[in-house]
Amino acid sequence: MVVLGLAAALAETLGVGLAVLFLFALLGQGDAITESGGLLAQLLEHVQDVFGGNPTVIASVFFAIILLKALLLYTNDIVTAQVLNNVARRVRDRLHRHYVTVGYIFLQKRDHGELLNTLSTESWTVTDAFFSLSRIGVNLCAVLVFAVGLFALSWVIAVTAIICAIGVFALLRLMSRPVRRLGQDMLAANQILAERMLVSLNGMRTLRAFSKEDRMLNLFENISDRVRVLAVRTERVKALLGPIGEVASLGTLLVVALVAGQTGVGVPTVIASVLLLFRLQPHLYEIETNRLALAGMSASLRNVRAMLQTDDKPWPVEGSRQFHGLRSEIRFSDIGFTHDPRRGPSVSGISFSIPAGQTTMIAGPSGSGKTTLLNLLLRLYEPDEGAISVDGQNLSVFTRKSWLSRLAVSGQDTVLIESTVGQNIRLGRPEASDEELREVCRMVDILDDIEELPDKFDTRIGAAGLNFSGGQRQRIGLARALLCEPEVLILDEAMSALEPAREDRIRQRIAKKLPNITIVIVSHRSDTTIPANKIVRIEHGMMSTDAATPVSAGS
């Protein structure tokens, strides 16, 4: 991009010289150029040697130079579009890869509005910054070429123009400070706006249920207006560049004309210098425009850079060995984990085992640490203390993919993605056949509900799956887990919204279909109405006094 811009600047400089030659030749004043000497006289001599002194020939060469410049600019635009879109894709992909692969606890601690704004909006800021930097490089090359041309024409005029430019740049530099502050304010406002968007879309049912539409509209419109005001202020400062540039250009030309008249510079040289200065001003203006743009983008760029850094974020332990199946047990040994050091450990000193092929229930009141243990088992977190072992091997030595491919989880609040019912259930095993899909839906009593939908399995889920009842969402999530044909099935309050008779019927079907499966039930209930071989009780992040209770076969 810079090379093409430099070539265009060279063509334009040569074109200015040829334009002056053509003008004086057309007016029959070619001798004035020869008498003034200098670069124009040398250029005229070379042109006459090669093409002759015919004004038509000179005009043709001038026109060819203009066409060459236009071709270079067109090529530069094509290359720029290709490069900028590649930059946008790479930044967007890297940010998304960080979101998908970073430690889950990092995402839990970040505001989702900020994450959305960084991925959807700030990623394009990097492209804009890259474009501004490249344009500054192109324009600096053009300024360098024009400056060399001015010095070749007259060092007096060149020095005068440089002194004037330094004064203008000093004035414009003062304008970057408010633009930088406005950029920081704009970043903060856009993050809040993105957060309000998420609240409006994801929390629509709750907001309407509590009749908070007016409050929702008021909050959104206030922050939206804040973004508008900041954007207008930023553009207002940038808009000053035009008038300042115009006044600076005219002032520079007047000073150059006065100095040229006082120092006896020839008329052809003055005309060529003025033309170069005219062509130089847009490049100087664009340099300052892009510099101010970079100042406004500085806060966004720092935000993207911070998000792309890797050494300050937790990353999952991947492991290197393949997991080939559970044979004996999963054992938690003195497990400790802390979400927030200010609140103390979430779980501490937890030790129990999950026998293979049996049903183990982890019971405890809300907030006791059950979900934390579940997330440790799913390797969303890594223990701060102790270790989880599988058949005597530390869980961390196995690759996450091979371990999780043998597990499936179904929870109380089933998250349904924006797609069809069938695609949601096939999430764990996309290659499953239609018959397998129907069989697993029949097992969890959801097939009849799906068959009554307008498009059956092709029915769109809708926003957050709110078109379905809580029990229907749980059964869809359970069908999704069972379709994976897991060796370990984790049920996190997975049937809490179902009536007892249906819950019992589904459990019996699972036991009949998968007799050797290892089941982990997470529940706030600790009674024996839920069939389990073993009950592990958790209270306040610690094992209770009767923590691990075997359940008799007849209970």
Side-chain angles (χ1 to χ4, degrees):
M1 292 163 64
V2 174
V3 169
L4 288 170
L6 178 60
L10 288 170
E12 186 171 7
T13 304
L14 182 58
V16 167
L18 289 173
V20 174
L21 296 184
F22 171 68
L23 176 63
F24 275 79
L26 188 63
L27 296 174
Q29 300 293 321
D31 292 341
I33 295 178
T34 304
E35 292 173 0
S36 66
L39 181 62
L40 286 177
Q42 297 176 16
L43 179 61
L44 177 61
E45 181 180 350
H46 286 303
V47 170
Q48 289 176 339
D49 290 343
V50 178
F51 302 105
N54 191 323
T56 303
V57 175
I58 296 177
S60 299
V61 175
F62 169 67
F63 185 69
I65 293 294
I66 297 302
L67 286 179
L68 175 61
K69 178 199 170 186
L71 178 61
L72 289 170
L73 291 176
Y74 172 75
T75 305
N76 184 67
D77 288 342
I78 298 299
V79 172
T80 298
Q82 181 69 31
V83 170
L84 293 182
N85 279 282
N86 283 340
V87 170
R89 180 189 63 82
R90 290 176 61 186
V91 173
R92 187 168 56 245
D93 290 353
R94 284 187 62 189
L95 281 171
H96 185 257
R97 179 174 291 275
H98 270 54
Y99 287 1
V100 172
T101 58
V102 74
Y104 184 66
I105 194 170
F106 172 80
L107 298 177
Q108 282 188 309
K109 293 180 178 180
R110 301 304 290 260
D111 182 80
H112 284 194
E114 176 191 359
L115 296 175
L116 175 62
N117 183 62
T118 302
L119 180 60
S120 63
T121 303
E122 305 305 327
S123 60
W124 287 102
T125 305
V126 178
T127 304
D128 295 337
F130 188 87
F131 176 76
S132 294
L133 282 173
S134 66
R135 289 307 304 169
I136 289 175
V138 168
N139 286 290
L140 283 175
C141 289
V143 169
L144 178 62
V145 170
F146 287 144
V148 171
L150 282 174
F151 271 103
L153 288 170
S154 170
W155 69 269
V156 173
I157 292 178
V159 171
T160 303
I162 289 174
I163 292 174
C164 292
I166 290 174
V168 173
F169 271 109
L171 175 62
L172 294 178
R173 185 172 180 80
L174 297 176
M175 299 172 61
S176 64
R177 296 176 182 175
V179 172
R180 188 174 289 108
R181 288 195 299 269
L182 287 169
Q184 294 172 345
D185 294 340
M186 181 71 79
L187 172 62
N190 275 321
Q191 289 177 351
I192 298 174
L193 183 62
E195 178 186 347
R196 298 313 310 168
M197 292 177 182
L198 285 174
V199 170
S200 297
L201 293 174
N202 296 338
M204 188 67 70
R205 182 175 183 273
T206 303
L207 291 168
R208 294 195 179 194
F210 284 90
S211 186
K212 296 299 180 183
E213 293 93 337
D214 291 341
R215 175 175 171 77
M216 175 176 62
L217 291 171
N218 185 55
L219 290 173
F220 185 88
E221 289 168 3
N222 284 342
I223 188 60
S224 180
D225 187 63
R226 170 69 173 166
V227 172
R228 178 194 64 82
V229 170
L230 291 173
V232 170
R233 288 179 182 174
T234 302
E235 293 304 319
R236 190 181 299 159
V237 175
K238 292 180 180 179
L240 290 174
L241 286 177
I244 291 176
E246 291 293 332
V247 173
S249 298
L250 291 175
T252 300
L253 292 178
L254 288 174
V255 172
V256 166
L258 290 173
V259 171
Q262 293 294 323
T263 56
V265 179
V267 173
T269 299
V270 173
I271 293 176
S273 298
V274 168
L275 287 175
L276 279 179
L277 286 172
F278 261 119
R279 296 307 304 148
L280 178 62
Q281 293 302 326
H283 294 285
L284 294 174
Y285 172 76
E286 191 173 356
I287 288 174
E288 194 57 29
T289 299
N290 284 297
R291 198 179 68 80
L292 283 178
L294 285 173
M297 290 183 280
S298 60
S300 296
L301 294 174
R302 285 195 298 269
N303 185 47
V304 174
R305 181 179 180 182
M307 196 63 68
L308 289 176
Q309 284 182 328
T310 58
D311 55 358
D312 61 342
K313 298 176 180 65
W315 297 92
V317 178
E318 288 298 333
S320 58
R321 295 177 54 184
Q322 295 293 312
F323 178 69
H324 297 294
L326 180 63
R327 296 187 301 272
S328 177
E329 65 174 6
I330 302 170
R331 179 168 292 278
F332 287 68
S333 302
D334 295 321
I335 292 296
F337 181 80
T338 301
H339 282 282
D340 187 346
R342 295 171 299 181
R343 301 175 60 183
S346 302
V347 293
S348 178
I350 300 293
S351 297
F352 66 93
S353 65
I354 300 172
Q358 296 185 24
T359 298
T360 300
M361 183 167 69
I362 302 175
S366 178
S368 60
K370 303 187 304 297
T371 301
T372 298
L373 295 176
L374 175 60
N375 288 335
L376 288 166
L377 187 61
L378 291 171
R379 296 182 67 174
L380 295 174
Y381 309 146
E382 295 293 333
D384 295 330
E385 300 173 358
I388 302 175
S389 60
V390 180
D391 296 334
Q393 298 291 318
N394 194 304
L395 179 58
S396 63
V397 305
F398 300 111
T399 64
R400 293 181 67 254
K401 186 174 182 179
S402 66
W403 166 249
L404 295 176
S405 67
R406 306 297 180 116
L407 274 67
V409 61
S410 179
Q412 178 179 14
D413 299 317
T414 300
V415 177
L416 301 180
I417 61 175
E418 298 286 343
S419 61
T420 66
V421 174
Q423 288 171 336
N424 266 273
I425 299 174
R426 278 195 169 100
L427 186 64
R429 193 157 67 93
E431 72 280 3
S433 67
D434 291 344
E435 183 54 37
E436 289 174 317
L437 186 66
R438 294 175 62 84
E439 180 183 354
V440 77
C441 289
R442 188 180 296 110
M443 184 188 303
V444 298
D445 272 0
I446 194 63
L447 181 60
D448 290 342
D449 298 51
I450 296 174
E451 292 289 351
E452 292 176 358
L453 296 173
D455 298 313
K456 298 180 173 52
F457 282 98
D458 293 327
T459 301
R460 302 293 300 182
I461 284 291
L466 294 181
N467 294 333
F468 298 85
S469 69
Q472 287 174 325
R473 291 199 300 273
Q474 284 190 351
R475 282 178 283 156
I476 290 174
L478 188 56
R480 179 166 63 192
L482 293 173
L483 189 63
C484 296
E485 298 179 346
E487 292 186 13
V488 179
L489 176 63
I490 302 171
L491 303 177
D492 184 10
E493 305 278 8
M495 291 182 275
S496 60
L498 305 185
E499 57 274 20
R502 172 172 279 173
E503 179 180 355
D504 186 60
R505 186 165 60 247
I506 293 174
R507 290 187 189 280
Q508 291 178 14
R509 290 172 182 170
I510 294 174
K512 182 178 180 180
K513 180 69 175 179
L514 304 169
N516 298 318
I517 191 172
T518 302
I519 299 178
V520 179
I521 299 175
V522 179
S523 176
H524 65 278
R525 294 183 290 171
S526 60
D527 54 56
T528 57
T529 59
I530 300 177
N533 302 100
K534 181 178 182 180
I535 299 177
V536 178
R537 293 182 174 85
I538 307 295
E539 292 182 4
H540 306 296
M542 303 178 68
M543 304 285 290
S544 66
T545 53
D546 55 344
T549 306
V551 181
S552 63
S555 63

